[in-house]
Amino acid sequence: MRATLGALPKARAALAEHVDRGGELWLVSGNHDADVGDDDFRAHLLEALAVSSEGRARVRTSPWFFRDGALHLEHGHLFDPDNAPAHPLVVGEHSLGVHFVEEFIAPSGAHRYLNANDRPPLELFTSAFAWYGLRAPLVVYRYFYAAFTALARSGPLYRAGDEPRAGAERIGRFAEEVGIDAELAARLVGLGPPPTLESLAATFSRLYLDRVVGTLAIAGGLGATLAGGVDSARSSAAPARS
């Protein structure tokens, strides 16, 4: 946290000034910043901001959500299977969405795919060349690298099996901190869908690999048909030998 804010001195100064002038700073965990939920995150944040002793009480962090009267504040990734954690109170195995940002988007610089990931595979493939030119082969390679490494950690190999149990052990303390009944908090956990990576089939489908296979099969079939037609035409055109 100190290194991050140290690289952004204007942001650090603005946040510290806001708090020292009586403002409040609430940070809630999301799918790409799950570390906000760590027990020691708030201490590191306060150290980095160097706010006054009075201001420290106005800086709050939460691993899941805040409750302020009838107001409920949370990031919402728990309800998206591609970004849902195994348990919202555990910083553990990365979701499919986080995996793709770290293994595809960041290394390739293909940021346009952050908001264009629901198009047909052929369109996504050709758009790489339209958007990134000479870097397109790297973009395509990184996509398939991320896809197959995601498959390699999905289904039976999904390593978050103990996280629901660990999260359930923390429900009571978290519910007390936010001021709700522990049973209600446990019910809220149950509203989230299973993470995509829990299922090998769901992961394969979500990565459009079924469509990629279908597209390749169609292309291969058309190629074989055309090649067969050319061979037939050549045979018909060849002079008969006596």
Side-chain angles (χ1 to χ4, degrees), residues 44-64:
H44 290 312
L45 176 61
L46 291 171
E47 181 184 0
L49 293 178
V51 296
S52 65
S53 57
E54 292 182 359
R56 296 170 70 90
R58 293 191 292 272
V59 177
R60 299 176 59 189
T61 63
S62 173
W64 184 5

Side-chain angles (χ1 to χ4, degrees), residues 124-147:
L124 291 173
F125 176 78
T126 56
S127 66
F129 294 88
W131 291 342
Y132 300 109
L134 295 176
R135 288 200 300 116
L138 170 64
V139 172
V140 173
Y141 161 74
R142 288 302 310 193
Y143 173 81
F144 282 104
Y145 173 83

Side-chain angles (χ1 to χ4, degrees), residues 123-186:
E123 183 179 344
L124 291 173
F125 176 78
T126 56
S127 66
F129 294 88
W131 291 342
Y132 300 109
L134 295 176
R135 288 200 300 116
L138 170 64
V139 172
V140 173
Y141 161 74
R142 288 302 310 193
Y143 173 81
F144 282 104
Y145 173 83
F148 286 110
T149 52
L151 282 177
R153 46 187 290 266
S154 66
L157 299 177
Y158 182 56
R159 299 185 297 271
D162 291 336
E163 292 178 20
R165 177 190 54 77
E169 294 174 353
R170 302 176 186 178
I171 280 285
R173 187 182 72 177
F174 174 78
E176 183 178 355
E177 289 174 353
V178 296
I180 66 171
D181 184 72
E183 183 179 350
L184 174 58

Side-chain angles (χ1 to χ4, degrees), residues 186-211:
R187 287 169 56 194
L188 290 174
V189 174
L191 295 178
T196 300
L197 287 174
E198 280 192 3
S199 166
L200 178 63
T203 303
F204 187 86
S205 176
R206 182 63 184 91
L207 296 175
Y208 302 117
L209 293 178
D210 53 343
R211 301 186 193 180

